Amino acid sequence: MTRLRTTAVHGGRDDLADLGVHALPIDLSTTYPIPDQAEGGHALQHFADGGAAHTASPVYSRLHNPTVARFEQALAALEGTSAAVAFGSGMAAVTAVVQASCVLTGKPHVVAVRPIYGGTDHLLSSGLLGVRTTYTTADRVADAITPQTGLVVIETPANPNLDLIDLAAVAAQAGDVPLMVDNTFATPVLQNPAALGATYVLHSGTKYLGGHGDVLGGVVACAEEHAGPLRQVRIITGAVLHPLGGYLMHRGLATLPLRVEAAQRTAVDLAARLDAHRGTVLVRHPSLPGADPAGLVGTQMRGPGAMLAFTTREDPTAVVRRLRLVTPAVSLGSVDTLIEHPAALTHRLVPGAAREASGVPGNLLRLSVGLEDVEDIWDDLDQALSGHCEEDYIKSSSSDFREPVASH
Ligand SMILES: *Cc1c(COP(=O)(O)O)cnc(C)c1O
């Protein structure tokens, strides 16, 4: 096994030399010639039974796609699992995990620890998949599990407030009940939940894996025995990842360690500066004193990550409106720094009282630190947080600020 950066560059590329190509081929075929239809039938049965690649033929792109399969192999190598199964979005991946672990097994109860991504929260609360969810705290997961529980769901660091959870402790409480850990914030660069007992390691590939804000996808890393049912669900529901998405996320993996490490360095710096700024009340980043009482950074996680959150003294909407460089948008893990207001956007559909109780107040902003120069991000955050008293200064300087952009 190679080291992380090497695996990120070389993973899932084993067959390229034999194909005589250097870049990842994008196979857009929806169907594949099957001269021997009986043999094709065996391949189809293999996929219907949850199998991975078949030597005879992919048969049909909803059953298998070689470009997507290379990405899955690379992601599995980074997460240290025997398999990975990709989907058309992170939410399609969450849905497939719930269907495989709760619907197929007839165990329609989920235990989840808030906060989690608002879309996942909404999916688990909506009843759409026929599951019922008990929300609890990380130390009381065992108490919430019943014989009907098919899945435990956690996120660490949590979206959006960067709460950290001791993965091994929750895995011990979950016992035989499958544990899904959303690893989107940490990425496999900083954390490998499967090694600590997670059954399913979930990523919204839309975020750091793709890394450039131009591809929607999801992926679940897990043991082969759990990958089979996920592939079956994917075939039946058609929640497939487009091969172009597989290509873009696979290409993104090569630079993932460098991007995460660079953005993380900037985030550590910004967290300290934000913490000292009079425009913030509370700053959440695992690097800050007191943010990691259980000492998980350096043990469970290899670093504090590049996501941070802070509450504002002023109306957060006004702060965001003043930003000139930082992109006011949902999503995260892109090359540019993104900011969003969870109560208004990503966590809007979580009931207000439950959202607040889980540590996501109405004045919290979430920041996904990008790859810009730290001083430029800071200048923008500083002026935006410095309030209405400096509005005149901002107005007069905003045209100067835009000038270099227009001239290039
Ligand atoms: C964005 C996100 C998801 C959902 O992923 P999509 O690709 O948008 O469907 C799930 N979990 C987390 C932590 C996310 O940030």
Side-chain angles (χ1 to χ4, degrees), residues 13 15-17 19-26 70 247 250-251:
R13 292 169 193 255
D15 67 334
L16 299 198
L19 292 173
V21 299
H22 179 62
L24 296 162
I26 306 173
R70 285 189 198 92
Y247 168 83
H250 197 170
R251 187 173 72 160

Side-chain angles (χ1 to χ4, degrees), residues 87-94 116-120 155 157-159 180 182-185 202-207 215-218 307 331-332 346-347 366:
F87 295 88
S89 69
M91 287 313 300
V94 176
I116 48 179
Y117 172 62
T120 306
E155 248 179 61
N159 187 348
M180 183 187 103
D182 190 324
N183 206 30
T184 301
F185 270 34
L202 187 128
H203 289 279
S204 166
T206 314
K207 316 296 166 56
V215 55
L216 196 68
M307 293 297 301
S331 199
L332 57 104
T346 52
H347 292 69
R366 187 190 75 184

Side-chain angles (χ1 to χ4, degrees), residues 103-122:
V103 183
L104 287 182
T105 61
K107 292 188 172 184
H109 180 238
V110 175
V111 174
V113 177
R114 276 181 171 136
I116 48 179
Y117 172 62
T120 306
D121 192 303
H122 186 52

Side-chain angles (χ1 to χ4, degrees), residues 137-143 170 173:
T137 53
D139 54 338
R140 303 190 58 182
V141 166
D143 301 338
V170 173
Q173 292 185 69

Side-chain angles (χ1 to χ4, degrees), residues 291-313:
D292 177 27
L296 297 172
V297 179
T299 53
Q300 172 172 299
M301 290 183 82
R302 289 181 280 274
M307 293 297 301
L308 57 86
F310 54 91
T311 51
T312 56
R313 222 166 265 296

